[in-house]
């Protein structure tokens, strides 16, 4: 059986907790600072605009197409080749000032600039109401997901476990938003919401495995202190956690390097999210339990 972590591993996570808390604080504050200073590069899903997918008769000349469309003075124009066929191009243009008539005029200009030889495979116009609705629903999806996880952990374990899990999940979600803030080449769109929810789901799964082992060890080792129980539990599950994360990351790195630009922009936030989620499961959600009285009044609490 493959083991990335030796069976007799005994890392004193409790002793390292202040370094880990400091690192987590740095990640969260850095992410918030990046968000406040840089904001997010909202995609057309959230800003409104045109999303046009075309196929050119020959290999797409992205530079030439970009020059043509930029000359129309329509604001931010983004082109991206995608798929295995080098003739397919995704064009994103921001919503134009004015009503529907202004959008229709802009769309006609785009069609004239692209010429009659291209094939339009998809033309979508996202209005301000739709984009606001998407933004609201995206935030609601994240909020409900976190709330549902809090309730689930609360009922399955105790409220202290639920609280620590939500702190760790907030840490993970904030880190993903920080990634988008520091990498303006990544558009914050619907796929970003999917990446955040995927990260939250993966992270909570790892956290539940460790919490299960902590609960089991609390019943099994009644004379051990909480720091000993937490260290024992994390080390017990360390091999499983690392192996699961590494195999998942291998698949994601394959998508990132060989899946093309569109897949790469989707897989990168999940790669970072799973890395951060694995870290928070091991070094944050479990260690925060030290600051709650668990396992009965007679058990020694606090750090060793």
């Amino acid at each position: 059986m493959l083991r990335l972590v030796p069976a007799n591993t005994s890392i004193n996570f409790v002793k390292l907790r202040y370094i880990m808390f400091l690192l987590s604080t740095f990640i969260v504050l850095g992410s918030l600072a990046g968000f406040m200073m840089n904001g997010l590069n909202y995609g057309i899903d959230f800003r409104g605009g045109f999303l046009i997918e075309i196929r050119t008769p020959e290999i797409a000349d992205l530079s030439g197409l970009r020059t043509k469309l930029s000359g129309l003075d329509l604001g931010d124009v983004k082109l991206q080749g995608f798929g295995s066929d080098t003739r397919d191009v995704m064009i994103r243009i921001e919503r134009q000032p004015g009503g529907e008539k202004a959008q229709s005029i802009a769309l006609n200009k785009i069609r004239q600039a692209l010429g009659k030889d291209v094939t339009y495979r998809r033309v979508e116009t996202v209005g301000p109401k739709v984009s606001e609705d998407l933004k609201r629903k995206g935030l609601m999806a994240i909020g409900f997901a976190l709330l549902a996880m809090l309730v689930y952990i609360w009922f399955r374990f105790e409220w202290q476990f639920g609280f620590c899990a939500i702190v760790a999940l907030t840490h993970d979600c904030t880190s993903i938003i920080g990634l988008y803030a520091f990498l303006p080449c990544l558009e914050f769109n619907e796929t970003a919401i999917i990446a955040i929810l995927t990260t939250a789901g993966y992270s909570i799964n790892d956290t539940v495995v460790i919490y299960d082992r902590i609960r089991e060890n609390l019943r099994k080792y009644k004379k051990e202190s909480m720091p000993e129980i937490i260290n024992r539990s994390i080390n017990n599950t360390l091999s499983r956690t690392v192996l699961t994360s590494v195999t998942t990351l291998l698949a994601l790195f394959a998508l990132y390097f060989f899946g093309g630009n569109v897949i790469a922009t989707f897989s990168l936030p999940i790669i970072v999210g799973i890395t951060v989620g694995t870290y928070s499961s091991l070094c944050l959600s479990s260690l925060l339990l030290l600051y709650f009285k668990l396992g009965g009044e007679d058990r020694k609490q606090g750090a060793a």
Side-chain angles (χ1 to χ4, degrees), residues 125-137:
T125 305
V126 182
K129 286 186 179 177
V130 174
S131 59
E132 282 300 318
D133 193 45
L134 283 173
K135 197 181 292 183
R136 182 175 57 81
K137 286 181 177 177

Side-chain angles (χ1 to χ4, degrees), residues 38-53:
N38 303 332
L40 297 175
N41 177 21
Y42 289 108
I44 288 175
D45 298 336
F46 292 147
R47 285 189 305 171
F50 301 106
L51 180 65
I52 305 170
E53 185 182 320

Side-chain angles (χ1 to χ4, degrees), residues 37-113:
M37 289 189 296
N38 303 332
L40 297 175
N41 177 21
Y42 289 108
I44 288 175
D45 298 336
F46 292 147
R47 285 189 305 171
F50 301 106
L51 180 65
I52 305 170
E53 185 182 320
I54 62 169
R55 173 167 289 180
T56 56
E58 298 177 351
I59 295 175
D61 177 11
L62 292 180
S63 177
L65 289 172
R66 188 175 288 108
T67 303
K68 283 183 183 178
L69 295 175
S70 298
L72 298 177
D73 195 24
L74 296 176
D76 189 21
V77 177
K78 293 181 179 175
L79 284 83
Q80 188 175 36
F82 68 97
S84 56
D85 195 329
T86 52
R87 297 180 302 158
D88 292 333
V89 180
M90 183 84 74
I91 302 170
R92 293 181 176 88
I93 298 178
E94 67 181 44
R95 183 176 174 80
Q96 303 302 302
E100 292 305 315
K101 188 177 179 181
Q103 313 312 314
S104 180
I105 292 172
L107 195 55
N108 285 334
K109 284 183 179 178
I110 295 168
R111 289 180 183 274
Q112 288 175 8

Side-chain angles (χ1 to χ4, degrees), residues 26-254:
F26 176 77
I27 291 173
V28 170
L29 292 180
S31 298
L32 291 175
F35 174 71
M36 294 176 70
M37 289 189 296
N38 303 332
L40 297 175
N41 177 21
Y42 289 108
I44 288 175
D45 298 336
F46 292 147
R47 285 189 305 171
F50 301 106
L51 180 65
I52 305 170
E53 185 182 320
I54 62 169
R55 173 167 289 180
T56 56
E58 298 177 351
I59 295 175
D61 177 11
L62 292 180
S63 177
L65 289 172
R66 188 175 288 108
T67 303
K68 283 183 183 178
L69 295 175
S70 298
L72 298 177
D73 195 24
L74 296 176
D76 189 21
V77 177
K78 293 181 179 175
L79 284 83
Q80 188 175 36
F82 68 97
S84 56
D85 195 329
T86 52
R87 297 180 302 158
D88 292 333
V89 180
M90 183 84 74
I91 302 170
R92 293 181 176 88
I93 298 178
E94 67 181 44
R95 183 176 174 80
Q96 303 302 302
E100 292 305 315
K101 188 177 179 181
Q103 313 312 314
S104 180
I105 292 172
L107 195 55
N108 285 334
K109 284 183 179 178
I110 295 168
R111 289 180 183 274
Q112 288 175 8
L114 294 175
K116 296 180 180 178
D117 294 333
V118 302
T119 304
Y120 291 87
R121 300 170 66 84
R122 181 163 59 133
V123 178
E124 292 180 6
T125 305
V126 182
K129 286 186 179 177
V130 174
S131 59
E132 282 300 318
D133 193 45
L134 283 173
K135 197 181 292 183
R136 182 175 57 81
K137 286 181 177 177
L139 291 174
M140 286 175 64
I142 295 173
F144 281 133
L146 293 177
L147 181 63
M149 290 177 192
L150 171 64
V151 173
Y152 169 70
I153 299 289
W154 190 332
F155 277 97
R156 179 163 176 177
F157 300 94
E158 296 176 42
W159 70 266
Q160 296 93 333
F161 288 82
F163 176 81
C164 296
I166 289 300
V167 171
L169 285 179
T170 305
H171 164 275
D172 300 341
C173 294
T174 307
S175 304
I176 298 293
I177 291 173
L179 173 72
Y180 279 94
F182 282 109
L183 292 180
C185 58
L186 290 177
E187 276 193 357
F188 193 85
N189 49 27
E190 283 181 315
T191 58
I193 301 296
I194 296 171
I196 291 173
L197 292 176
T198 303
T199 298
Y202 187 92
S203 177
I204 200 68
N205 183 53
D206 264 352
T207 299
V208 165
V209 170
I210 299 173
Y211 281 179
D212 255 335
R213 186 57 61 95
I214 290 175
R215 184 172 60 178
E216 180 185 326
N217 286 337
L218 278 171
R219 294 169 181 164
K220 193 173 179 181
Y221 303 99
K222 295 186 180 298
K223 294 185 177 179
E224 287 193 356
S225 66
M226 271 308 292
E228 289 170 327
I229 290 290
I230 288 176
N231 266 335
R232 179 189 290 277
S233 303
I234 297 176
N235 281 293
N236 285 163
T237 55
L238 188 59
S239 178
R240 178 262 175 206
T241 302
V242 171
L243 194 58
T244 306
S245 299
V246 169
T247 50
T248 307
L249 286 172
L250 285 176
L252 286 168
F253 274 116

